[in-house]
């Protein structure tokens, strides 16, 4: 989501199934890394986007370790305790 922060570990090797920050055609993107044979595919988890199948060089910037979400408004009033 807009305004979220990704916590990225550049020391981790990217593996299939990991969420990565990748540089594709000069743009950074956050996607799940998968492989079709030896060919990498970047899978979005948003139905509005198609998978990316890089034809040139793919640079994986780092592996996502977490997401920090920014909440708008009064978070305390929206919480429900049981």
């Amino acid at each position: 989501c807009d305004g979220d922060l990704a916590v990225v570990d550049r020391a981790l090797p990217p593996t299939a199934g990991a969420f990565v920050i990748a540089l594709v055609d000069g743009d950074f993107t956050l996607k799940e890394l998968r492989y079709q044979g030896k060919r990498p595919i970047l899978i979005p988890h948003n139905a509005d986007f198609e998978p990316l199948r890089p034809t040139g060089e793919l640079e994986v910037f780092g592996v996502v370790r977490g997401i920090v979400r920014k909440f708008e408004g009064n978070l305390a009033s929206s919480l429900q305790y049981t």
Side-chain angles (χ1 to χ4, degrees), residues 4-82:
D4 290 354
L5 298 175
V7 179
V8 178
D9 189 337
R10 296 196 67 195
L12 285 178
T15 58
F19 285 84
V20 299
I21 301 292
L23 186 60
V24 180
D25 297 330
D27 292 319
F28 284 102
T29 186
L30 190 160
K31 303 273 188 287
E32 180 183 353
L33 176 64
R34 293 190 194 167
Y35 289 91
Q36 192 171 47
K38 291 186 177 188
R39 186 174 172 210
I41 301 173
L42 297 170
I43 307 295
H45 281 249
N46 180 330
D48 293 337
F49 296 95
E50 295 290 324
L52 294 174
R53 292 175 172 82
T55 55
E57 187 176 331
L58 169 67
E59 180 184 344
V60 175
F61 181 78
V63 176
V64 177
R65 301 292 291 171
I67 298 289
V68 178
R69 169 113 336 141
K70 180 180 176 182
F71 290 99
E72 297 294 332
N74 187 350
L75 177 61
S77 66
S78 64
L79 296 176
Q80 296 180 352
Y81 299 97
T82 56

